[in-house]
Amino acid sequence: ADWVVWMAVVVSMVGGSINVDLMEDGFRNAVRSIERNTDVQNSVRYLKKISKSITQEDIKSSPRAKRLQKETCAFLSQMFKRQNQPVKAKKYLVKLVKLEPSNPQHPTELGHLYYKLGKPEKARKAYLRANSLIPGGDAHLLYFVAEAEMTSEPPMLHDAERHLDLTVRLLQKQGVPPRQLQGRRTLVWARALESLGTVQQRLGLHEKAMNTFQIGVNKGLWISPYRRFHKKRDYSIPDPLPIFTKSTPGYPLWAQTLISNFDEIVENVESITHENFESELENLSVGGDWKVIPLIDINQSMDQGSIAWTKVALEILPSLVQILSKVEEFVSCVLVLGVCDAFISRLQPGTHILPHCGPTNLRLRTHLALKAPTECCSIRVADESPVYWRTGELLVFDDAYEHEVWHNGTQGDRIVLSIDTWHPNIRDQ
């Protein structure tokens, strides 16, 4: 009965005068209901009505109405973010930016949402706005600006280098320790130096890039300018190798099961339509085309404590799902590390994947070549000579090392199954 009264009153307020007392009371009750998970649908509808009914004139004339609009928008934006509904969350963050134009938190969160929605240009504008509100600028925001510039189409590499250089200068000026974290897992210095050097590589400034990477070595972040990562490390890898062969201690023996089931896996993969492949999102390739099919949802897997397989994996690759579900090195790596992945990667002729590194030093990447045109699809890992994928064979490498890929053929895609597992040589640090 209360909801009927509140909704009727709020609906009548649209376009007319508002009753702030009644709306505040309704706001508190709606929030309480949502937090208790009771009558959630009506509660959300009511909060939306509050936000819609408060006009600019109300905000200008009534501090209470302005405060209520801020509280309503803040609650709705955070709720929709938790529910992984970025489009709905964006609507209320945009209102918050207008309500509190001097608060850098709102455009920062808005930038994150735009980036998640695949709109790096809008994300860049939001981050720049947030940074302009902080005296002297903020190193994290400048990094986010550069990240958006790197993933724009086309990439804004010169702008990204300038903003990353400013990021490094700010970190130095503020005396940020080399192992300072952002959040729980990201090494601030490592992320900035890795990105700056990568941009310099793409601009053809290779000597400058190696000097940038060497700064990370000098700060004790990395053991080599070729082996770079930015996720927090509680463990070390003694004497890491770029590429594992069958004679290398720790070679993933479990992967022989993939070879034993090669024909079935290939047959299943061949039934996948082109529409199932997705473009990679990091702007790492030039020429040709690089697309992937995710086999797991990493974030959902960590949230639920078990592997969350994608629809394609469950419906088209059930035997592969069954195999990998029994590989403890894979399952625990996904659930604990949070950056272990499983996907199918397809390169078309003429594709060049630019030099890059994986985010952590704690994983090992195994490729099973499902289809590899002879002597034309190769990968360089660290400063070693390129090696070729061969159909039906495994290629195992430490992707914390810089790696670069080419498909120099003219006919036929290169298709590999890529699986991450724990690095076998982890030592407690």
Side-chain angles (χ1 to χ4, degrees):
D2 288 341
W3 279 119
V4 174
V5 173
W6 280 328
M7 292 296 290
V9 172
V10 172
V11 169
S12 68
M13 289 187 293
V14 178
S17 60
I18 63 171
N19 185 325
V20 178
D21 288 329
L22 183 61
M23 294 173 74
E24 287 179 335
D25 185 45
F27 171 80
R28 288 190 292 270
N29 280 281
V31 169
R32 192 178 302 117
S33 293
I34 293 171
E35 291 175 344
R36 294 176 178 176
N37 199 30
T38 58
D39 207 7
V40 173
Q41 186 174 359
N42 277 327
S43 299
V44 173
R45 286 175 60 203
Y46 180 72
L47 293 178
K48 289 180 177 180
K49 287 291 185 182
I50 289 179
S51 180
K52 184 176 180 179
S53 65
I54 299 176
T55 65
Q56 287 299 314
E57 290 72 20
D58 297 325
I59 291 171
K60 291 178 182 178
S61 62
S62 171
R64 287 178 63 194
K66 181 177 182 179
R67 184 180 67 247
L68 180 59
Q69 180 71 299
K70 287 193 295 185
E71 291 176 351
T72 303
C73 290
F75 184 86
L76 286 172
S77 65
Q78 293 303 314
M79 182 192 72
F80 286 130
K81 281 174 62 179
R82 289 194 301 272
Q83 295 175 351
N84 196 28
Q85 299 187 64
V87 174
K88 292 182 178 180
K90 174 181 69 68
K91 175 180 178 180
Y92 295 99
L93 269 174
V94 169
K95 287 188 176 184
L96 282 172
V97 170
K98 294 178 180 178
L99 285 165
E100 293 187 298
S102 61
N103 186 340
Q105 178 182 348
H106 302 322
T108 299
E109 292 188 14
L110 185 60
H112 293 336
L113 285 180
Y114 277 131
Y115 194 81
K116 186 173 184 178
L117 289 167
K119 298 181 178 180
E121 293 82 6
K122 289 189 175 182
R124 175 179 183 266
K125 290 180 180 179
Y127 292 139
L128 284 171
R129 176 171 182 166
N131 189 64
S132 70
L133 298 173
I134 299 177
D138 180 85
H140 300 304
L141 284 169
L142 287 170
Y143 171 82
F144 293 141
V145 170
E147 186 177 43
E149 290 166 341
M150 292 169 66
T151 53
S152 294
E153 189 59 49
M156 305 167 65
L157 295 180
H158 290 285
D159 289 324
E161 186 195 19
R162 177 169 58 87
H163 285 123
L164 287 167
D165 185 65
L166 287 173
T167 299
V168 170
R169 291 176 186 271
L170 266 180
L171 293 174
Q172 191 72 44
K173 181 180 179 180
Q174 295 168 357
V176 175
R179 298 187 186 278
Q180 179 72 45
L181 296 178
Q182 182 188 23
R184 293 180 299 170
R185 295 184 297 172
T186 300
L187 292 158
V188 175
W189 266 104
R191 181 183 64 179
L193 291 170
E194 160 66 9
S195 295
L196 176 57
T198 297
V199 169
Q200 290 166 340
Q201 282 182 324
R202 296 181 190 180
L203 289 170
L205 307 172
H206 298 290
E207 183 177 352
K208 192 174 183 180
M210 292 306 292
N211 290 337
T212 297
F213 296 142
Q214 187 62 40
I215 294 174
V217 177
N218 297 342
K219 287 183 174 292
L221 294 168
W222 309 314
I223 61 170
S224 163
Y226 285 104
R227 192 171 193 268
R228 312 182 297 270
F229 50 91
H230 61 263
K231 292 298 182 182
K232 175 186 176 183
R233 58 179 186 182
D234 295 316
Y235 304 89
S236 62
I237 308 294
D239 303 320
L241 298 173
I243 295 178
F244 279 51
T245 65
K246 290 181 179 179
S247 62
T248 305
Y251 184 81
L253 299 179
W254 66 266
Q256 295 302 315
T257 307
L258 297 178
I259 294 179
S260 300
N261 292 269
F262 176 78
D263 291 338
E264 182 178 1
I265 294 172
V266 170
E267 182 179 353
N268 291 338
V269 169
E270 287 178 344
S271 69
I272 298 175
T273 64
H274 290 290
E275 289 73 21
N276 291 120
F277 283 87
E278 305 173 2
S279 297
E280 61 87 20
L281 300 177
E282 299 181 72
N283 274 358
L284 289 175
S285 63
V286 293
D289 192 28
W290 178 26
K291 291 189 175 181
V292 299
I293 298 179
L295 300 181
I296 64 171
D297 184 318
I298 297 175
N299 292 329
Q300 186 179 341
S301 297
M302 294 187 69
D303 289 342
Q304 68 186 32
S306 61
I307 300 296
W309 299 98
T310 62
K311 183 178 180 180
V312 170
L314 291 172
E315 294 183 355
I316 302 179
L317 300 164
S319 60
L320 179 60
V321 168
Q322 188 175 18
I323 292 171
L324 294 179
S325 295
K326 297 177 182 178
V327 180
E328 179 59 27
E329 300 97 317
F330 165 70
V331 174
S332 63
C333 186
V334 173
L335 301 183
V336 176
L337 194 55
V339 289
C340 283
D341 208 348
F343 58 93
I344 295 169
S345 172
R346 186 189 74 190
L347 291 188
Q348 292 185 345
T351 305
H352 174 205
I353 300 179
L354 301 170
H356 63 287
C357 296
T360 178
N361 68 324
L362 301 182
R363 75 184 185 190
L364 195 66
R365 177 154 288 185
T366 297
H367 280 184
L368 172 61
L370 305 178
K371 180 181 179 182
T374 305
E375 300 297 320
C376 60
C377 301
S378 61
I379 180 171
R380 170 188 65 81
V381 185
D383 55 349
E384 298 195 355
S385 299
V387 295
Y388 291 94
W389 283 277
R390 302 186 189 283
T391 301
E393 296 185 7
L394 297 173
L395 193 158
V396 183
F397 63 103
D398 179 345
D399 80 326
Y401 278 103
E402 178 182 292
H403 48 288
E404 182 177 12
V405 174
W406 298 267
H407 185 337
N408 290 325
T410 58
Q411 293 183 340
D413 296 342
R414 185 231 62 176
I415 302 176
V416 302
L417 170 65
S418 179
I419 306 294
D420 295 334
T421 55
W422 288 108
H423 196 291
N425 301 330
I426 293 175
R427 296 291 183 271
D428 194 329
Q429 204 172 43

